[in-house]
Amino acid sequence: MNRRTFFTKLAVAAGLAATRWLPGIEHAQTAVAQDNSFPELEWRMVTSWPPLLGNLSFAAQLVAERIAEMTNGKFKITVYPAGELVPALEVMNHVSTGEVEMGHTAAYYYTQLSPANAFGCAIPFGLTAMQQNAWLYEHGGLQMLQAFYEDRFNLIQFPAGNTGVQMGGWFNKEITSLADLAGLRMRTVGLTGRVMAKLGVETVALGGGEIFQALVTGEIDAGEWVGPYDDQKLGLHKAARYYYYPGWWEPCTVTELQISLPAWQSLPQEYQIIVRAAAYEANLITLARYDAGNPAALQQLYDEADITLLAFPQEVLVAAETATFELFEEISASDADFAAILPEWVKFRDSVQAWHGVSELAYLNYSAWSLRTVES
Amino acid sequence: MNRRTFFTKLAVAAGLAATRWLPGIEHAQTAVAQDNSFPELEWRMVTSWPPLLGNLSFAAQLVAERIAEMTNGKFKITVYPAGELVPALEVMNHVSTGEVEMGHTAAYYYTQLSPANAFGCAIPFGLTAMQQNAWLYEHGGLQMLQAFYEDRFNLIQFPAGNTGVQMGGWFNKEITSLADLAGLRMRTVGLTGRVMAKLGVETVALGGGEIFQALVTGEIDAGEWVGPYDDQKLGLHKAARYYYYPGWWEPCTVTELQISLPAWQSLPQEYQIIVRAAAYEANLITLARYDAGNPAALQQLYDEADITLLAFPQEVLVAAETATFELFEEISASDADFAAILPEWVKFRDSVQAWHGVSELAYLNYSAWSLRTVES
């Protein structure tokens, strides 16, 4: 496979930022005759989620259920929890080879395959959920990443879940300065570990289910998972006292539906559109579930344990952002795919953050001020 | 029709906040035999949008196109622009009677039919797009409103578009204090006009296409439409100099797909799920289009005209919020539907705004600070 075909597609993509694009549709359209519509199919979807993880496994199940409902039961998909067919963090590998037709996972688990995988998932000091959707769907981001995935992994992906801005995790001591981070052992994943290393933090790779134990035994000093709703399920509020915000390394995290490209291309057009529609719904509804569940969960954390909610000191945020952009430069120097996507991504990030400064931020700022005034 | 059946349903709904609910599905399921799946249908969708209005008419077209694609062309829907079959602001009326099967409109155009219609669309000092999705989809909001619409209007609705936080509109003079609002003539719609009246502003009801002319001739001193992307199309930046933010009266505005209930109930289940899926996509993608289009549009407004971007003075926001909650009390005293929805809505608003204070707001705050620091 010629790795550079990605860039040919990219050049076309840049001129089509506002046009959504679905590779393989024309292909399938000509290959499948009209009267072969709505064939009976049975597919498998492997996931990175243990059944415990409410909102993450929910999204995968939702995709499968909706596809079955929209095809009147003709297109059946069986969803497998992490580890049952393939290990949690090898979903992408097995969809890439075509061993299974579908996967539901988070692309930043695969930054060792390519650091550019982080763009579709979560980037430190990157985009919020609304900004990420704008970039992916309507600024050519998904189009670029789909060309990249097609070329590198022989699969096609659709966003199918989002957590929103995550929390900054649980610490067993207060962080009052940048110096307090030095020497900490912390559980985190993806590019974040490399940023943390620049701040003197030692990263420990642990699965979600291992964080509680490691905090309690002192194997780690800090750990981050998602936010109140998911963290509560892991009991992290009973393992460490200081709960920090915001989670600057995951201003949003996208989970995605990945489909083996030959399997995708074998689908009639109506099934392709139906699969994509189920992913749209999962993306929208998962975020809504987090925003509906997090307020009550945060209150319950307070009720159940003696926790302290704290903002990271500005000094930490500034140092972390500086370290993040240093890391971007280092990665760009050695990875052409990452280097190809980064500049347009940064440009969009700055412009949409400026826009949100006079819209979402300006409004949230007032409503938070008003809420504090009423409560005090 | 017994108006109070709504409240019976509401009582059930309150206990099912996390369960999404689709009235009529079981009904249709038993009525339609398995082998009648994917029948050929032709429906009409009337809209409130002139073809000019990019993102608003786009959402209606998207719904129709997706439904056709997902049914392999068997379920065809013709979309009519405002005024072609029914007037722009009478879409809901004609779907309610069943004269047309579908409509795409904004529910706050119909607050004279019931002030409770504003909850599904836009409320001054209400919810942002993310918060509104959380309330509608995952906190029982849509369930309540669907029971209300079914009972009052014999229709079912699905969110199918969102603008995000709107701008505060165009003023021909600077607003430095609350006193500056007194005596202004301003174009606005829905409940906002009643809040504005409490601040001494005289509201003028005008269609989108009439705002430019009215500003230029001095018939009005101020006018608001949506935000940079849509306002630019109307040329408002060439009609008034001062562009205010945030649009506290529309922290988000939902456009919705409305379907005559008998028509909805006649659909086989797979078509119901497909119609709803198309609405989910329209809701997600329209917001992404606004966030992708607004940054560049705002820059172009600067390039094309001598405009000044200003935040409303805090004094104005505080007075407007006070007036808004006074209005809510007045409406609640005379409208049982509004009074039934308001308390739970306020409770959710306060809790989700508190949550966003440590997530979306905290992150956007830092990114805006960082952006200003880099640019200065």
Side-chain angles (χ1 to χ4, degrees):
Chain A
M1 190 187 304
N2 173 10
R3 278 203 52 197
R4 293 282 72 77
T5 59
F6 164 52
F7 294 103
T8 321
K9 286 172 188 156
L10 198 64
V12 177
L16 292 170
T19 309
R20 273 157 306 116
W21 169 90
L22 207 56
I25 279 201
E26 291 75 14
H27 185 102
Q29 228 170 348
T30 52
V32 177
Q34 181 84 357
D35 52 8
N36 286 337
S37 63
F38 302 102
E40 306 236 347
L41 286 179
E42 291 193 25
W43 278 20
R44 295 177 301 174
M45 186 199 300
V46 293
T47 75
S48 299
W49 326 120
L52 160 81
L53 296 175
N55 284 350
L56 299 171
S57 52
F58 162 85
Q61 285 290 351
L62 184 146
V63 167
E65 282 171 26
R66 256 347 142 257
I67 292 171
E69 288 173 345
M70 286 193 271
T71 61
N72 203 14
K74 290 178 179 172
F75 190 176
K76 291 188 184 68
I77 296 161
T78 307
V79 179
Y80 294 90
E84 199 166 309
L85 284 189
V86 307
L89 305 187
E90 293 179 21
V91 165
M92 189 175 191
N93 314 53
H94 292 271
V95 178
S96 182
T97 60
E99 291 163 65
V100 289
E101 294 90 356
M102 274 182 172
H104 190 266
T105 188
Y108 67 1
Y109 292 149
Y110 312 95
T111 47
Q112 81 286 7
L113 298 180
S114 165
N117 285 336
F119 283 107
C121 182
I123 296 256
F125 294 98
L127 306 174
T128 66
M130 281 176 67
Q131 295 167 357
Q132 179 79 346
N133 286 338
W135 182 68
L136 286 173
Y137 294 128
E138 295 292 332
H139 196 74
L142 184 57
Q143 191 174 6
M144 281 200 298
L145 292 174
Q146 283 178 333
F148 167 62
Y149 274 39
E150 177 176 342
D151 184 50
R152 291 294 305 282
F153 304 110
N154 204 33
L155 61 80
I156 182 170
Q157 83 282 26
F158 300 99
N162 199 315
T163 63
V165 171
Q166 297 198 2
M167 289 294 288
W170 300 90
F171 290 72
N172 65 8
K173 66 167 192 176
E174 211 173 322
I175 305 299
T176 58
S177 70
L178 187 55
D180 285 340
L181 288 179
L184 277 190
R185 287 171 57 84
M186 179 169 183
R187 184 272 175 194
T188 191
V189 296
L191 299 182
T192 312
R194 296 171 68 180
V195 176
M196 287 289 186
K198 289 175 178 283
L199 305 179
V201 176
E202 186 185 340
T203 294
V204 181
L206 293 173
E210 301 167 299
I211 303 172
F212 176 85
Q213 177 85 357
L215 273 170
V216 167
T217 61
E219 183 194 338
I220 55 175
D221 308 300
E224 59 84 26
W225 180 236
V226 179
Y229 183 90
D230 289 328
D231 292 2
Q232 186 186 27
K233 292 189 170 28
L234 300 185
L236 301 185
H237 55 305
K238 293 171 181 167
R241 173 168 184 171
Y242 300 98
Y243 200 18
Y244 273 89
Y245 68 89
W248 47 263
W249 50 85
E250 302 187 47
C252 83
T253 302
V254 176
T255 57
E256 68 190 20
L257 180 68
Q258 300 179 338
I259 307 159
S260 150
L261 200 63
W264 170 256
Q265 288 170 339
S266 75
L267 291 178
Q269 183 182 10
E270 67 274 15
Y271 278 12
Q272 290 185 335
I273 306 288
I274 281 170
V275 166
R276 192 181 60 170
Y280 280 129
E281 178 182 344
N283 198 18
L284 181 67
I285 296 298
T286 306
L287 183 63
R289 280 174 81 92
Y290 275 110
D291 279 323
N294 276 325
L298 187 53
Q299 186 58 52
Q300 285 162 19
L301 296 181
Y302 269 102
D303 297 343
E304 292 173 12
D306 184 24
I307 68 164
T308 305
L309 191 63
L310 292 168
F312 281 118
Q314 187 82 351
E315 182 192 21
V316 168
L317 295 174
V318 171
E321 190 178 21
T322 304
T324 296
F325 278 79
E326 278 174 19
L327 177 66
F328 290 168
E329 291 308 310
E330 290 163 22
I331 296 174
S332 291
S334 63
D335 189 277
D337 296 329
F338 193 92
I341 296 172
L342 185 67
E344 179 63 22
W345 179 87
V346 170
K347 203 172 138 197
F348 181 75
R349 166 190 177 269
D350 291 352
S351 73
V352 76
Q353 286 183 349
W355 159 240
H356 277 181
V358 299
S359 54
E360 302 297 320
L361 172 59
Y363 181 74
L364 289 172
N365 234 341
Y366 174 77
S367 61
W369 175 87
S370 174
L371 200 62
R372 278 195 305 274
T373 308
V374 169
E375 284 183 353
S376 63
Chain B
M1 192 187 307
N2 172 9
R3 276 203 52 193
R4 292 283 71 77
T5 59
F6 164 52
F7 292 104
T8 322
K9 286 172 189 155
L10 198 62
V12 178
L16 293 169
T19 310
R20 271 156 308 116
W21 169 90
L22 208 55
I25 279 200
E26 292 74 12
H27 184 104
Q29 229 168 345
T30 53
V32 176
Q34 182 84 354
D35 52 7
N36 286 337
S37 65
F38 302 101
E40 305 237 346
L41 286 179
E42 291 194 24
W43 278 19
R44 295 176 300 174
M45 185 200 299
V46 292
T47 76
S48 299
W49 326 120
L52 160 79
L53 296 174
N55 284 351
L56 300 171
S57 52
F58 162 86
Q61 285 290 351
L62 184 147
V63 168
E65 280 171 26
R66 254 349 140 252
I67 292 170
E69 286 173 347
M70 287 193 271
T71 61
N72 202 14
K74 290 178 181 174
F75 189 177
K76 292 189 183 70
I77 296 160
T78 307
V79 178
Y80 293 90
E84 198 165 311
L85 285 188
V86 308
L89 305 186
E90 293 179 20
V91 165
M92 189 175 194
N93 315 55
H94 292 271
V95 177
S96 182
T97 60
E99 291 162 68
V100 289
E101 294 90 356
M102 274 181 170
H104 191 266
T105 187
Y108 67 0
Y109 292 150
Y110 311 95
T111 48
Q112 81 287 4
L113 297 179
S114 165
N117 285 336
F119 283 107
C121 182
I123 296 258
F125 293 98
L127 306 174
T128 65
M130 281 176 67
Q131 296 167 356
Q132 178 79 347
N133 286 338
W135 182 67
L136 286 174
Y137 294 128
E138 295 292 331
H139 196 76
L142 184 57
Q143 190 174 5
M144 282 201 295
L145 292 175
Q146 284 178 333
F148 167 62
Y149 274 40
E150 177 176 344
D151 184 49
R152 291 292 305 283
F153 304 111
N154 204 33
L155 62 80
I156 183 171
Q157 82 283 26
F158 300 99
N162 199 316
T163 63
V165 172
Q166 296 199 2
M167 290 292 290
W170 300 90
F171 291 72
N172 66 10
K173 66 166 190 177
E174 212 173 323
I175 305 298
T176 58
S177 70
L178 187 56
D180 284 341
L181 288 179
L184 277 190
R185 289 171 55 84
M186 179 170 183
R187 184 272 173 193
T188 191
V189 295
L191 300 182
T192 312
R194 296 171 67 180
V195 176
M196 288 290 187
K198 289 173 178 284
L199 305 178
V201 176
E202 186 185 341
T203 295
V204 181
L206 293 173
E210 301 166 299
I211 303 172
F212 176 85
Q213 177 83 357
L215 273 170
V216 167
T217 60
E219 184 193 337
I220 55 175
D221 308 300
E224 59 83 28
W225 180 236
V226 180
Y229 183 90
D230 289 328
D231 291 3
Q232 185 185 28
K233 290 189 170 29
L234 299 186
L236 301 185
H237 56 305
K238 293 173 180 166
R241 173 167 184 171
Y242 301 98
Y243 200 20
Y244 274 89
Y245 68 90
W248 47 264
W249 49 84
E250 302 187 47
C252 83
T253 301
V254 177
T255 56
E256 69 190 20
L257 180 67
Q258 301 179 336
I259 306 159
S260 151
L261 199 63
W264 171 255
Q265 288 170 338
S266 76
L267 292 178
Q269 183 183 9
E270 67 274 15
Y271 278 13
Q272 290 185 336
I273 305 289
I274 282 170
V275 167
R276 193 182 61 171
Y280 280 129
E281 179 183 342
N283 198 18
L284 181 67
I285 296 298
T286 306
L287 183 63
R289 281 174 79 91
Y290 274 111
D291 279 324
N294 274 326
L298 186 53
Q299 186 59 51
Q300 284 162 16
L301 295 182
Y302 269 103
D303 297 343
E304 290 173 13
D306 184 25
I307 68 164
T308 305
L309 191 64
L310 292 168
F312 281 119
Q314 187 82 349
E315 182 192 23
V316 167
L317 295 174
V318 172
E321 190 177 21
T322 304
T324 296
F325 278 79
E326 278 173 19
L327 178 66
F328 290 168
E329 292 308 310
E330 291 163 21
I331 296 174
S332 290
S334 63
D335 189 277
D337 297 328
F338 193 91
I341 296 171
L342 185 67
E344 180 63 23
W345 178 87
V346 169
K347 203 173 138 197
F348 180 75
R349 165 189 177 270
D350 291 352
S351 73
V352 77
Q353 286 183 348
W355 158 243
H356 276 182
V358 298
S359 54
E360 301 297 320
L361 171 60
Y363 181 75
L364 289 172
N365 235 341
Y366 175 76
S367 62
W369 175 86
S370 175
L371 198 64
R372 277 195 306 274
T373 308
V374 169
E375 285 184 352
S376 64

Short mmCIF file of all heavy atoms in Angstrom, two decimals, chain B residues 51-76:
data_model
loop_
_atom_site.label_atom_id
_atom_site.label_comp_id
_atom_site.label_asym_id
_atom_site.label_seq_id
_atom_site.Cartn_x
_atom_site.Cartn_y
_atom_site.Cartn_z
N PRO B 51 -35.80 29.56 1.10
CA PRO B 51 -34.63 28.80 0.63
C PRO B 51 -33.32 29.53 0.93
O PRO B 51 -32.29 28.89 1.11
CB PRO B 51 -34.85 28.71 -0.88
CG PRO B 51 -36.29 28.98 -1.10
CD PRO B 51 -36.74 29.88 0.01
N LEU B 52 -33.36 30.85 1.02
CA LEU B 52 -32.18 31.67 1.35
C LEU B 52 -31.47 31.22 2.62
O LEU B 52 -30.24 31.28 2.72
CB LEU B 52 -32.65 33.14 1.52
CG LEU B 52 -31.75 34.10 2.30
CD1 LEU B 52 -30.60 34.60 1.45
CD2 LEU B 52 -32.55 35.30 2.84
N LEU B 53 -32.23 30.78 3.62
CA LEU B 53 -31.67 30.59 4.96
C LEU B 53 -30.92 29.27 5.08
O LEU B 53 -31.45 28.26 5.53
CB LEU B 53 -32.77 30.70 6.00
CG LEU B 53 -33.39 32.10 6.03
CD1 LEU B 53 -34.56 32.18 6.96
CD2 LEU B 53 -32.34 33.13 6.40
N GLY B 54 -29.67 29.31 4.68
CA GLY B 54 -28.80 28.14 4.56
C GLY B 54 -29.02 27.04 5.59
O GLY B 54 -29.55 25.97 5.26
N ASN B 55 -28.65 27.28 6.83
CA ASN B 55 -28.62 26.21 7.81
C ASN B 55 -29.99 25.73 8.25
O ASN B 55 -30.15 24.59 8.65
CB ASN B 55 -27.82 26.64 9.05
CG ASN B 55 -26.33 26.62 8.79
OD1 ASN B 55 -25.88 26.13 7.76
ND2 ASN B 55 -25.56 27.16 9.71
N LEU B 56 -30.98 26.61 8.20
CA LEU B 56 -32.31 26.24 8.66
C LEU B 56 -33.02 25.37 7.62
O LEU B 56 -33.54 24.30 7.94
CB LEU B 56 -33.12 27.49 9.00
CG LEU B 56 -32.50 28.36 10.12
CD1 LEU B 56 -33.22 29.69 10.25
CD2 LEU B 56 -32.49 27.63 11.46
N SER B 57 -33.00 25.81 6.36
CA SER B 57 -33.63 24.98 5.32
C SER B 57 -32.78 23.74 5.05
O SER B 57 -33.31 22.68 4.69
CB SER B 57 -33.84 25.79 4.05
OG SER B 57 -32.65 26.43 3.65
N PHE B 58 -31.47 23.83 5.26
CA PHE B 58 -30.58 22.67 5.11
C PHE B 58 -31.05 21.51 5.98
O PHE B 58 -31.10 20.36 5.54
CB PHE B 58 -29.15 23.07 5.50
CG PHE B 58 -28.25 21.91 5.80
CD1 PHE B 58 -27.56 21.26 4.79
CD2 PHE B 58 -28.08 21.46 7.11
CE1 PHE B 58 -26.74 20.18 5.07
CE2 PHE B 58 -27.26 20.38 7.41
CZ PHE B 58 -26.59 19.74 6.38
N ALA B 59 -31.40 21.80 7.24
CA ALA B 59 -31.80 20.75 8.17
C ALA B 59 -33.05 20.02 7.68
O ALA B 59 -33.15 18.79 7.76
CB ALA B 59 -32.03 21.34 9.56
N ALA B 60 -34.01 20.78 7.15
CA ALA B 60 -35.24 20.18 6.65
C ALA B 60 -34.95 19.28 5.45
O ALA B 60 -35.44 18.15 5.35
CB ALA B 60 -36.24 21.27 6.28
N GLN B 61 -34.13 19.78 4.54
CA GLN B 61 -33.75 19.00 3.35
C GLN B 61 -33.00 17.74 3.75
O GLN B 61 -33.21 16.67 3.18
CB GLN B 61 -32.86 19.84 2.42
CG GLN B 61 -33.60 20.90 1.62
CD GLN B 61 -34.50 20.31 0.53
OE1 GLN B 61 -34.45 19.12 0.25
NE2 GLN B 61 -35.33 21.16 -0.06
N LEU B 62 -32.10 17.88 4.74
CA LEU B 62 -31.31 16.73 5.18
C LEU B 62 -32.22 15.60 5.68
O LEU B 62 -32.01 14.43 5.35
CB LEU B 62 -30.33 17.16 6.27
CG LEU B 62 -29.35 16.11 6.77
CD1 LEU B 62 -28.02 16.74 7.16
CD2 LEU B 62 -29.89 15.32 7.95
N VAL B 63 -33.23 15.97 6.47
CA VAL B 63 -34.15 14.96 7.00
C VAL B 63 -34.82 14.20 5.85
O VAL B 63 -34.86 12.96 5.84
CB VAL B 63 -35.22 15.62 7.91
CG1 VAL B 63 -36.36 14.65 8.21
CG2 VAL B 63 -34.58 16.11 9.21
N ALA B 64 -35.31 14.93 4.87
CA ALA B 64 -36.01 14.29 3.74
C ALA B 64 -35.05 13.40 2.93
O ALA B 64 -35.40 12.27 2.56
CB ALA B 64 -36.63 15.36 2.85
N GLU B 65 -33.86 13.90 2.68
CA GLU B 65 -32.89 13.13 1.88
C GLU B 65 -32.48 11.84 2.58
O GLU B 65 -32.38 10.78 1.97
CB GLU B 65 -31.63 13.97 1.61
CG GLU B 65 -31.82 14.96 0.48
CD GLU B 65 -30.64 15.93 0.36
OE1 GLU B 65 -29.52 15.56 0.77
OE2 GLU B 65 -30.85 17.05 -0.13
N ARG B 66 -32.20 11.94 3.89
CA ARG B 66 -31.74 10.78 4.62
C ARG B 66 -32.81 9.70 4.68
O ARG B 66 -32.52 8.50 4.55
CB ARG B 66 -31.39 11.18 6.05
CG ARG B 66 -30.01 11.27 6.46
CD ARG B 66 -28.94 10.75 5.57
NE ARG B 66 -27.88 11.71 5.68
CZ ARG B 66 -27.56 12.56 4.72
NH1 ARG B 66 -28.16 12.53 3.55
NH2 ARG B 66 -26.59 13.41 4.91
N ILE B 67 -34.07 10.12 4.89
CA ILE B 67 -35.16 9.15 4.95
C ILE B 67 -35.27 8.41 3.61
O ILE B 67 -35.41 7.18 3.57
CB ILE B 67 -36.48 9.84 5.34
CG1 ILE B 67 -36.40 10.33 6.80
CG2 ILE B 67 -37.68 8.92 5.15
CD1 ILE B 67 -37.54 11.23 7.24
N ALA B 68 -35.15 9.15 2.52
CA ALA B 68 -35.19 8.51 1.20
C ALA B 68 -34.02 7.54 1.05
O ALA B 68 -34.20 6.40 0.60
CB ALA B 68 -35.14 9.58 0.11
N GLU B 69 -32.83 7.95 1.46
CA GLU B 69 -31.66 7.08 1.30
C GLU B 69 -31.76 5.82 2.16
O GLU B 69 -31.39 4.73 1.72
CB GLU B 69 -30.39 7.85 1.67
CG GLU B 69 -29.98 8.89 0.64
CD GLU B 69 -28.82 9.76 1.11
OE1 GLU B 69 -28.50 9.74 2.32
OE2 GLU B 69 -28.25 10.48 0.28
N MET B 70 -32.23 5.99 3.40
CA MET B 70 -32.28 4.83 4.30
C MET B 70 -33.36 3.84 3.92
O MET B 70 -33.33 2.69 4.34
CB MET B 70 -32.45 5.30 5.75
CG MET B 70 -31.18 5.93 6.31
SD MET B 70 -31.22 6.15 8.11
CE MET B 70 -31.95 7.78 8.24
N THR B 71 -34.34 4.29 3.12
CA THR B 71 -35.41 3.38 2.69
C THR B 71 -35.23 2.99 1.23
O THR B 71 -36.16 2.48 0.60
CB THR B 71 -36.79 4.04 2.89
OG1 THR B 71 -36.84 5.23 2.08
CG2 THR B 71 -37.03 4.41 4.34
N ASN B 72 -34.04 3.23 0.72
CA ASN B 72 -33.75 2.92 -0.68
C ASN B 72 -34.77 3.56 -1.62
O ASN B 72 -35.22 2.95 -2.59
CB ASN B 72 -33.71 1.40 -0.87
CG ASN B 72 -32.89 1.01 -2.11
OD1 ASN B 72 -32.17 1.84 -2.66
ND2 ASN B 72 -33.01 -0.22 -2.53
N GLY B 73 -35.16 4.79 -1.30
CA GLY B 73 -36.05 5.57 -2.16
C GLY B 73 -37.53 5.27 -1.98
O GLY B 73 -38.37 5.84 -2.69
N LYS B 74 -37.86 4.39 -1.05
CA LYS B 74 -39.28 4.01 -0.92
C LYS B 74 -40.13 5.02 -0.16
O LYS B 74 -41.32 5.11 -0.37
CB LYS B 74 -39.37 2.63 -0.24
CG LYS B 74 -38.87 1.52 -1.17
CD LYS B 74 -38.91 0.17 -0.49
CE LYS B 74 -38.38 -0.90 -1.46
NZ LYS B 74 -38.25 -2.21 -0.82
N PHE B 75 -39.50 5.77 0.77
CA PHE B 75 -40.24 6.77 1.55
C PHE B 75 -39.76 8.14 1.07
O PHE B 75 -38.69 8.60 1.43
CB PHE B 75 -39.95 6.55 3.04
CG PHE B 75 -40.80 7.37 3.98
CD1 PHE B 75 -40.67 7.20 5.36
CD2 PHE B 75 -41.73 8.30 3.53
CE1 PHE B 75 -41.44 7.93 6.26
CE2 PHE B 75 -42.50 9.02 4.42
CZ PHE B 75 -42.34 8.84 5.78
N LYS B 76 -40.59 8.77 0.23
CA LYS B 76 -40.22 10.05 -0.38
C LYS B 76 -40.93 11.20 0.33
O LYS B 76 -42.14 11.14 0.58
CB LYS B 76 -40.64 10.07 -1.85
CG LYS B 76 -39.87 9.13 -2.76
CD LYS B 76 -40.24 9.41 -4.23
CE LYS B 76 -39.53 8.44 -5.15
NZ LYS B 76 -40.05 7.04 -5.03
#
